[in-house]
Amino acid sequence: MADTVLKCNGRTHESRTAGSDLSLKRIAGLALDRLWMYLTFYSIIPFAGYSDMRYSMYLFLSVSLCALAATMAIVALGVRHGEALGSNKPLVAGGALLMSGGLVLVLATGAFIRGDSAIVAVCAAGIATGIGSAVLLLSWLEVLSTAGFSCMLSEMALGCGAALLGSLILLFFPTALANAIILICPFASAFLLQHCLREIDGIPTDGADAPRSGKTTVLFIKGLVGAFSFGALAGFYDAFAGFRTFDVDIGYGVFLLAAGTVAMLAIALISVFCKEDSLSHAYRLAMLVICFGCLLTLFMADSNTHSGGVVFAGYETFNILVAICAQQASQSFNIPPARTFGVALATLYFGEMAGVFSIYLYGDTILKLGLATITVIAMMWLLFSHLYLFTEIDLINLELGEQAAPIRPSEAPNSESEDTTSEGARTPASPTPVGNEQVCQEIVERYGLSNRETDVLELLLQGRTIARIQEALFISAGTVSTHVRHIYQKTGSANKQDLLDMVEQIRVEIEQESAGK
């Protein structure tokens, strides 16, 4: 990881550009955190001792989801510039302790507690695990965000894929051994988190929020509504499958985890072989998988185990995309990472809660509509969210940051080389204004931009939007995004505002050099 120091408009800005190497520690740490989550929330292993396994699982999952979303929302509202969750060792250790402690309470309840006391204990365990998992997940996302967009996508896909595959294998282990491994995971993950933080020397948290226009505010709102919508659809199908499947066995977990593993492998391959449009391709894959899961509903006459598993795979893919979008928003607008991750994921999980509770409250009424009607409604819901709320072009705009007005040189002076005062005295002429073309040429020479990156930079400085740059250069939005990302990395700019500040600084330097001659 390289550190680049920029001096922009009289201030020094230190920007970290991501290294291209993947970190096995980050992948392993995230995998341990996700392994705990998948086996605790989506397998029967912790609930083997319960007489009413189905009810206990869904009660625990619902309470945990509420606590998880609420904790993320509280963190998003409370975090300030200069603060990072992962740097707070007691907080991270407390999160790991709550995760393992909640699971211990689940196991103890299944073995020793019955009746109403068991319900209270399961709810308490759900609250503890929800709070703890929110803290550890947000801390890991802060660390992963320092690696840059491409590396973060690869590491999240590999980490989640390894966790899903490991969970699938552990389903066939003896229950006691599997539970022991699950209990260790949060502490091992927190340990690796602290190691990663020492290696990167903390999480960058300096600066203030970048100014945002009305267009950017609308972009944020659309994205959050879209995330809520996708979360609601996933929660609906998860609860719908459980509502129609009264026997919970190991087969449900096997298919769920296997489908998720395949989806994560596909995302990892996309991040390696489709680097220029990786985010767009990953988003399309998520939509296709969720769409396929919805269509499978028509063919599941007795249960929705398989369709629910496929929707789960698409939803896990979408989770990664939401995290990537939050990372881009944090970088583009100088927002604390914990805030953007907290807002984005809390919205997603609140949507999932809405979908789950819609089945709990109106399940019998919804079933009367018939599978065909439910499928049509779900497909229309999905398409509307994809086309109007959480669109591909919005993903790219998040990375570009605030759409600034074109940068133009100052007004040209009079044709005379010198100005004349009212008394006839002559004063030195102002420096010749420097145009964008000259500034771009200087940036190309300093930082070694490619020809296509130069074309994109020139259009950016003219205030062109993604769509206009696409039309002018005949390239896709994803390719534009890739070129912009490369420009940021080569110039050491954290976001568009940093790039514009650097451009103005170079313009001033050229003008001063010209005046000195």
Side-chain angles (χ1 to χ4, degrees):
M1 183 173 293
D3 290 340
T4 305
V5 178
L6 300 176
K7 189 173 182 182
C8 301
N9 294 337
R11 63 184 177 86
T12 300
H13 174 77
E14 184 174 338
S15 173
R16 295 185 178 183
T17 55
S20 58
D21 295 334
L22 299 178
S23 168
L24 291 179
K25 284 185 181 179
R26 290 196 296 262
I27 294 172
L30 178 66
L32 288 168
D33 174 67
R34 297 294 83 192
L35 179 69
W36 176 92
M37 191 273 288
Y38 292 134
L39 286 176
T40 302
F41 294 153
Y42 297 106
S43 79
I44 63 173
I45 292 176
F47 298 92
Y50 285 76
S51 57
D52 191 349
M53 184 185 298
R54 176 177 177 272
Y55 174 78
S56 301
M57 282 182 64
Y58 275 95
L59 176 63
F60 174 75
L61 180 59
S62 299
V63 174
S64 294
L65 187 61
C66 292
L68 177 69
T71 302
M72 288 186 168
I74 291 171
V75 168
L77 293 173
V79 71
R80 294 173 294 181
H81 280 285
E83 294 180 342
L85 288 184
S87 301
N88 190 327
K89 292 183 180 180
L91 185 64
V92 173
L97 186 62
L98 284 174
M99 291 166 71
S100 292
L103 184 57
V104 168
L105 184 55
V106 168
L107 298 174
T109 301
F112 306 111
I113 305 175
R114 296 291 182 269
D116 293 340
S117 298
I119 296 176
V120 174
V122 169
C123 290
I127 293 172
T129 54
I131 295 173
S133 59
V135 170
L136 195 57
L137 176 58
L138 288 176
S139 299
W140 268 116
L141 291 176
E142 285 181 332
V143 171
L144 291 168
S145 68
T146 63
F149 157 74
S150 298
C151 200
M152 183 178 179
L153 179 62
S154 300
E155 290 182 349
M156 288 196 71
L158 291 171
C160 292
L164 286 160
L165 181 60
S167 301
L168 184 60
I169 294 171
L170 285 175
L171 286 180
F172 301 97
F173 274 44
T175 302
L177 178 58
N179 281 322
I181 293 173
I182 300 172
L183 288 171
I184 295 171
C185 283
F187 296 107
S189 180
F191 177 78
L192 286 175
L193 176 72
Q194 296 305 318
H195 266 266
C196 291
L197 282 171
R198 284 196 291 270
E199 288 181 356
I200 63 176
D201 194 26
I203 298 166
T205 55
D206 295 335
D209 288 7
R212 291 187 287 277
S213 66
K215 279 188 176 181
T216 300
T217 301
V218 170
L219 177 66
F220 283 177
I221 293 173
K222 278 180 58 185
L224 292 175
V225 173
F228 183 92
S229 179
F230 282 116
L233 184 64
F236 173 86
Y237 264 90
D238 180 57
F240 185 57
F243 195 80
R244 302 184 70 239
T245 306
F246 296 97
D247 293 323
V248 180
D249 56 20
I250 194 172
Y252 175 70
V254 168
F255 186 81
L256 197 81
L257 297 172
T261 302
V262 173
M264 291 302 110
L265 176 61
I267 294 297
L269 292 174
I270 285 174
S271 69
V272 172
F273 295 106
C274 304
K275 289 186 176 181
E276 288 198 353
D277 293 314
S278 56
L279 190 61
S280 295
H281 285 301
Y283 183 39
R284 292 166 193 167
L285 175 66
M287 293 305 99
L288 286 174
V289 174
I290 295 175
C291 179
F292 180 59
C294 293
L295 291 175
L296 273 181
T297 306
L298 290 172
F299 305 99
M300 301 294 107
D302 297 322
S303 74
N304 284 87
T305 298
H306 297 87
S307 61
V310 173
V311 171
F312 166 81
Y315 181 57
E316 284 301 295
T317 302
F318 189 74
N319 264 276
I320 292 179
L321 296 179
V322 169
I324 295 295
C325 289
Q327 183 265 349
Q328 291 180 333
S330 171
Q331 181 172 313
S332 297
F333 300 98
N334 286 330
I335 304 172
R339 184 181 301 168
T340 57
F341 289 127
V343 168
L345 293 177
T347 303
L348 184 69
Y349 296 143
F350 277 128
E352 187 177 352
M353 286 165 47
V356 168
F357 287 121
S358 69
I359 289 293
Y360 288 171
L361 297 174
Y362 308 107
D364 291 327
T365 303
I366 292 173
L367 280 177
K368 291 178 182 178
L369 296 175
L371 294 181
T373 302
I374 292 173
T375 301
V376 170
I377 293 174
M379 290 299 299
M380 293 299 294
W381 184 353
L382 180 66
L383 289 174
F384 177 80
S385 300
H386 173 62
L387 295 175
Y388 295 103
L389 296 177
F390 207 94
T391 67
E392 287 187 39
I393 197 68
D394 289 340
L395 301 183
I396 307 304
N397 284 331
L398 275 176
E399 183 174 10
L400 270 183
E402 190 69 24
Q403 292 297 320
I407 298 180
R408 297 187 178 91
S410 56
E411 294 292 326
N414 294 332
S415 57
E416 299 180 13
S417 60
E418 295 179 327
D419 295 330
T420 305
T421 64
S422 57
E423 289 81 8
R426 294 184 177 273
T427 58
S430 301
T432 303
V434 178
N436 288 337
E437 185 176 344
Q438 190 173 350
V439 174
C440 283
Q441 186 59 38
E442 180 66 24
I443 292 174
V444 170
E445 293 176 0
R446 288 190 188 185
Y447 300 104
L449 302 187
S450 68
N451 291 336
R452 186 56 90 185
E453 289 164 0
T454 304
D455 295 337
V456 172
L457 177 62
E458 289 175 350
L459 293 172
L460 277 178
L461 298 187
Q462 295 172 18
R464 299 289 186 91
T465 63
I466 289 289
R468 295 296 186 185
I469 295 176
Q470 281 182 263
E471 293 173 1
L473 301 181
F474 302 101
I475 55 179
S476 70
T479 303
V480 175
S481 172
T482 300
H483 289 315
V484 172
R485 196 181 313 121
H486 290 166
I487 292 170
Y488 287 169
Q489 290 173 352
K490 289 182 178 180
T491 60
S493 302
N495 50 46
K496 188 173 182 179
Q497 188 58 52
D498 274 357
L499 179 65
L500 298 184
D501 288 345
M502 183 196 68
V503 167
E504 281 305 303
Q505 178 65 26
I506 291 176
R507 190 192 307 279
V508 170
E509 291 175 1
I510 296 174
E511 289 177 350
Q512 290 175 346
E513 183 179 346
S514 176
K517 293 179 180 179

